[in-house]
């Protein structure tokens, strides 16, 4: 993505939305035809660039600089996912909100309150209570 704000989501069997992540201003994500299907929805006007996966893989296999960049990006994604998993499993909802505030204050200003709640893994009502309690 070249600019904008995207929300990547899964739907439960009951039709409830679970937020996987947000892509903000400059970022990328891959859709793997053989993998789990998630949706992408623009929350702001966005500019997307679509590249064929086969072409991207060929470019990476032929260029050492892209191989290094892919390795660095993969490590960044692994760390980010690990921290999110740890927060979801070990931190309270209020602690998860504080972490989000510390890491992505600009993002919080751009998101609907319901999306923040779903990203934290709580209901909008619970999120409202946490915000009121934290002041």
């Amino acid at each position: 993505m070249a600019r904008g704000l995207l929300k990547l989501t899964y739907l439960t069997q009951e039709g409830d939305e679970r937020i996987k992540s947000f892509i903000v201003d400059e970022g990328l994500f891959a859709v793997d035809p053989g993998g789990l299907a998630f949706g992408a929805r623009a929350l702001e006007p966005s500019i997307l660039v679509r590249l064929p996966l086969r072409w991207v893989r060929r470019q990476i296999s032929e260029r050492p600089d892209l191989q290094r960049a892919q390795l660095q990006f993969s490590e960044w994604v692994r760390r980010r996912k690990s921290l999110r998993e740890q927060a979801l499993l070990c931190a309270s909802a209020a602690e998860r909100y504080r972490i989000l505030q510390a890491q992505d204050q600009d993002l919080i200003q751009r998101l609907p309150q319901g999306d923040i709640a779903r990203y934290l893994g709580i209901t909008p009502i619970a999120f409202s209570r946490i915000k009121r309690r934290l002041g």
Side-chain angles (χ1 to χ4, degrees), residues 47-86:
I47 297 174
L48 302 177
V49 177
R50 183 177 179 183
L51 301 172
L53 191 55
R54 179 178 288 144
W55 179 85
V56 171
R57 287 180 175 156
R58 186 174 59 247
Q59 295 301 310
I60 291 170
S61 72
E62 295 172 359
R63 294 187 43 194
D65 60 325
L66 293 180
Q67 291 169 13
R68 285 188 299 277
Q70 180 194 26
L71 185 61
Q72 290 172 341
F73 180 72
S74 295
E75 182 59 25
W76 176 82
V77 168
R78 187 200 61 75
R79 280 192 314 270
R80 182 177 165 158
K81 286 184 173 192
S82 179
L83 290 171
R84 175 144 165 80
E85 180 181 273
Q86 182 181 13

Side-chain angles (χ1 to χ4, degrees), residues 12-124:
T12 67
Q13 289 184 352
E14 296 79 28
D16 295 326
E17 182 181 73
R18 299 288 192 257
I19 296 178
K20 173 183 179 349
S21 60
F22 297 101
I23 308 294
V24 183
D25 293 325
E26 291 182 358
L28 57 98
F29 64 97
V31 177
D32 182 358
L36 295 173
F38 60 87
R41 184 169 359 143
L43 299 176
E44 297 176 355
S46 301
I47 297 174
L48 302 177
V49 177
R50 183 177 179 183
L51 301 172
L53 191 55
R54 179 178 288 144
W55 179 85
V56 171
R57 287 180 175 156
R58 186 174 59 247
Q59 295 301 310
I60 291 170
S61 72
E62 295 172 359
R63 294 187 43 194
D65 60 325
L66 293 180
Q67 291 169 13
R68 285 188 299 277
Q70 180 194 26
L71 185 61
Q72 290 172 341
F73 180 72
S74 295
E75 182 59 25
W76 176 82
V77 168
R78 187 200 61 75
R79 280 192 314 270
R80 182 177 165 158
K81 286 184 173 192
S82 179
L83 290 171
R84 175 144 165 80
E85 180 181 273
Q86 182 181 13
L88 286 169
L89 294 173
C90 300
S92 70
E95 290 169 330
R96 292 193 300 274
Y97 181 52
R98 283 190 207 107
I99 292 167
L100 182 61
Q101 285 179 306
Q103 293 174 345
D104 289 312
Q105 187 60 41
D106 292 338
L107 175 63
I108 290 173
Q109 304 303 318
R110 295 168 68 177
L111 291 174
Q113 298 299 292
D115 283 345
I116 296 171
R118 282 186 285 284
Y119 182 73
L120 296 173
I122 58 177
T123 66

